[in-house]
């Protein structure tokens, strides 16, 4: 289970408070998923928990504004169209 750390510092901004709340809820949801034996869901919730922690600590930016996400990932922006059988 994801350890829940209670920091002595209070989040400085409303964004930080929201992220701290989301992180806490993710930890609780991960505990519920663990009780049910939902391993993949536990993994995904834990990754989101780690991401929220990175955002709170400043190790990762809140947004990737300006990046062309679809192009970088190699994902087509437009659907291919009708499929002919």
């Amino acid at each position: 289970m994801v350890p829940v750390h209670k920091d002595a510092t209070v989040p400085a901004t409303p964004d930080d408070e929201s992220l701290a709340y989301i992180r806490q809820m993710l930890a609780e949801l991960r505990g519920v998923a663990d009780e049910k034996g939902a391993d993949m869901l536990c993994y995904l919730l834990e990754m989101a928990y780690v991401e929220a922690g990175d955002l709170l600590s400043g190790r990762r930016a809140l947004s990737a504004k300006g990046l062309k996400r679809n192009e970088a990932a190699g994902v087509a922006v437009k659907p291919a169209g009708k499929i002919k059988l």
Side-chain angles (χ1 to χ4, degrees), residues 20-40:
Y21 175 75
I22 290 168
R23 188 171 185 249
Q24 178 63 35
M25 291 299 103
L26 287 165
E28 291 181 26
L29 287 169
R30 197 229 183 258
V32 173
D34 189 42
E35 288 176 6
K36 298 297 180 184
D39 293 337
M40 184 62 174

Side-chain angles (χ1 to χ4, degrees), residues 2-52:
V2 176
V4 179
H5 300 287
K6 298 201 179 204
D7 297 332
T9 60
V10 177
T13 66
D15 283 342
D16 288 349
E17 289 177 4
S18 296
L19 286 171
Y21 175 75
I22 290 168
R23 188 171 185 249
Q24 178 63 35
M25 291 299 103
L26 287 165
E28 291 181 26
L29 287 169
R30 197 229 183 258
V32 173
D34 189 42
E35 288 176 6
K36 298 297 180 184
D39 293 337
M40 184 62 174
L41 189 54
C42 285
Y43 170 77
L44 294 171
L45 289 166
E46 192 165 336
M47 290 298 99
Y49 176 89
V50 169
E51 176 72 13

